[in-house]
Amino acid sequence: MSESDSSPGPDIGQIVLVRKGREYGQLAVIIQVLDERFVLIADGEKRKFDRPKKKNIQHLERYNYISPEVRNSIKDTGRVSNNKLRMALWKFAQEVLEVPKKGDGLLDGER
């Protein structure tokens, strides 16, 4: 599911998992590629589009998943709404990570 070292560089709209730093373990979206080493990430909640976090790509686990909504919005207008960022991460968690929904049993204490 995550990309290998031989994969191409990071891309706008790509979902990442933070592996180092204060936001460890959180999902975010790449909103800008600064150079071959650094990107700007945001999640639309704690890290809004207007105040993204600069991260070294070596500190991120990149998923082979790009949100078309985020990518197209940034390409067309140069920005993306925080709601769109949150929705992209929610959609990724539901479809790709298969996070259980409330009522599926696992969140109700069943195993």
Side-chain angles (χ1 to χ4, degrees):
M1 177 113 11
S2 55
E3 295 184 348
S4 66
D5 294 336
S6 64
S7 66
D11 206 354
I12 292 174
Q14 188 170 24
I15 306 294
V16 297
L17 180 65
V18 179
R19 286 295 184 194
K20 297 269 186 182
R22 189 172 292 190
E23 287 105 5
Y24 176 85
Q26 294 180 9
L27 290 173
V29 182
I30 295 175
I31 59 170
Q32 186 179 346
V33 178
L34 299 175
D35 57 30
E36 69 278 345
R37 196 167 157 207
F38 290 100
V39 295
L40 295 180
I41 62 170
D43 65 7
E45 200 166 327
K46 292 180 184 139
R47 282 284 169 189
K48 308 273 189 197
F49 177 82
D50 294 333
R51 295 188 52 84
K53 177 72 176 170
K54 181 179 177 182
K55 285 300 265 186
N56 185 327
I57 60 169
Q58 293 180 344
H59 297 169
L60 301 172
E61 180 179 334
R62 293 180 288 140
Y63 288 97
N64 193 17
Y65 181 91
I66 295 174
S67 169
E69 296 88 3
V70 171
R71 184 179 193 164
N72 292 339
S73 181
I74 291 175
K75 277 186 168 182
D76 293 345
T77 65
R79 59 182 297 112
V80 65
S81 70
N82 291 311
N83 186 46
K84 218 173 255 190
L85 289 171
R86 289 190 301 269
M87 288 305 294
L89 291 172
W90 180 84
K91 184 177 173 185
F92 173 76
Q94 297 301 313
E95 293 177 4
V96 179
L97 296 182
E98 298 176 1
V99 173
K101 299 172 191 73
K102 187 167 176 65
D104 282 351
L106 291 178
L107 296 179
D108 299 330
E110 297 176 18
R111 293 209 179 246

